[in-house]
């Protein structure tokens, strides 16, 4: 079953929206390998994300093959256990200042989030696993990769070919299904006032 058809079984949108959005989800089961050109198209999607003044603060540090072992060392044990079958592990960083006059860019994280989602949506559209992670040692990643203070580490993600849930440890396999979301009324204030808990 494809990533999208699994999502359609679990997720029912409450307003008219492209399936692109609600059929993206984050599986952990991976088997086989994606090609370089398959990976490349995901970063191409990220490249076209919008950003304030079009400064494009996102950067992606990609590890495949043997180099993946170095990135695996950053991960908490829970993530290590399912990431071993990923084709690529990626550290997503953002440039804190705009390259234009080196002024602080207040939206560097916001814009990098947009690029990450573009990557994830393109991955889901192609039926690939793209799974975001904050469960890793940020300091270690900064030190080992020698990431300069000009950049903030935002997150990591695992990218790979979707596999059967049987490749996962039993507990994890049980959780291998698309989850739900808050109600629209919990995230949108229609009357233009701040009325959130
Ligand atoms: C920034 C970020 C960090 C995340 N960190 C982890 C993680 O460390 N380990 C993990 O298994 N999932 C992680 N996730 C996956 C989320 O739990 C998942 O995206 C969320 O439950 C929504 O589910 P969905 O992506 O399947 O729609 C992370 C997702 C994001 C966006």
């Amino acid at each position: 079953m494809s990533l999208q058809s699994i999502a359609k079984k679990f997720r029912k949108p409450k307003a008219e929206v492209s399936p692109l959005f609600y059929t993206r989800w984050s599986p952990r089961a991976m088997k086989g390998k994606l090609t370089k050109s398959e990976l490349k198209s995901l970063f191409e999607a990220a490249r076209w994300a919008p950003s304030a003044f079009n400064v494009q603060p996102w950067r992606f540090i990609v590890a495949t093959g043997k180099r993946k072992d170095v990135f695996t060392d950053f991960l908490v044990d829970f993530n290590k256990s399912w990431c071993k079958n990923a084709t690529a592990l990626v550290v997503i960083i953002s440039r804190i200042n705009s390259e234009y006059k080196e002024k602080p860019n207040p939206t560097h994280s916001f814009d990098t989030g947009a690029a990450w989602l573009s990557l994830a949506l393109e991955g889901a559209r192609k039926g690939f696993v793209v799974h975001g992670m904050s469960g890793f040692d940020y300091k270690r990643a900064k030190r080992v990769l020698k990431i300069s203070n000009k950049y903030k580490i935002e997150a990591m993600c695992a990218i790979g070919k979707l596999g059967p849930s049987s490749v996962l440890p039993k507990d994890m396999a049980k959780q291998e299904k698309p989850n739900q979301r808050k109600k629209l009324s919990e995230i949108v204030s229609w009357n233009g006032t701040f009325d959130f808990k």
Side-chain angles (χ1 to χ4, degrees):
M1 217 188 270
S2 74
L3 185 132
Q4 287 98 339
S5 51
I6 296 169
K8 279 181 181 161
K9 283 204 333 190
F10 288 91
R11 293 177 166 175
K12 306 291 169 201
K14 298 286 190 293
E16 203 289 309
V17 63
S18 164
L20 178 70
F21 299 100
Y22 63 89
T23 61
R24 183 219 55 81
W25 63 290
S26 306
R28 296 191 177 90
M30 291 174 271
K31 198 179 177 187
K33 286 276 169 287
L34 299 177
T35 64
K36 179 80 185 281
S37 78
E38 284 173 324
L39 286 178
K40 218 172 156 185
S41 66
L42 307 196
F43 296 102
E44 179 64 16
R47 195 165 77 89
W48 291 104
S51 59
F53 299 101
N54 198 23
V55 299
Q56 305 160 60
W58 46 79
R59 304 286 186 272
F60 302 93
I61 309 176
V62 183
T64 57
K66 267 254 142 263
R67 181 72 177 161
K68 240 175 50 190
D69 296 347
V70 175
F71 283 39
T72 303
D73 269 355
F74 306 152
L75 300 175
V76 297
D77 288 345
F78 175 82
N79 287 334
K80 271 185 187 144
S81 67
W82 58 269
C83 277
K84 53 177 177 282
N85 295 326
T87 302
L89 292 176
V90 183
V91 173
I92 305 167
I93 61 175
S94 65
R95 199 173 195 283
I96 297 163
N97 285 354
S98 163
E99 281 157 294
Y100 177 69
K101 292 189 179 168
E102 284 296 329
K103 289 250 175 68
N105 173 9
T107 62
H108 64 92
S109 291
F110 183 83
D111 295 342
T112 302
W116 136 258
L117 184 64
S118 300
L119 186 160
L121 289 174
E122 182 60 12
R125 197 181 72 81
K126 291 189 152 71
F128 303 156
V129 173
V130 178
H131 198 131
M133 289 181 288
S134 54
F136 68 97
D137 187 334
Y138 280 67
K139 284 190 182 143
R140 188 181 163 91
K142 181 174 165 60
R143 191 178 66 246
V144 173
L145 299 180
K146 299 188 174 68
I147 295 170
S148 87
N149 290 332
K150 286 185 180 171
Y151 290 84
K152 180 186 174 207
I153 301 184
E154 301 288 353
M156 285 182 70
C157 72
I159 304 176
K161 202 166 189 164
L162 185 66
S165 57
S166 55
V167 301
L168 295 171
K170 268 209 179 92
D171 282 0
M172 229 180 261
K174 272 192 227 152
Q175 295 172 37
E176 187 75 343
K177 54 176 188 270
N179 53 20
Q180 300 303 321
R181 288 298 186 268
K182 290 186 164 91
K183 294 193 186 81
L184 208 53
S185 59
E186 293 177 86
I187 63 163
V188 181
S189 169
W190 289 104
N191 58 11
T193 61
F194 174 82
D195 45 9
F196 300 112
K197 270 188 264 171

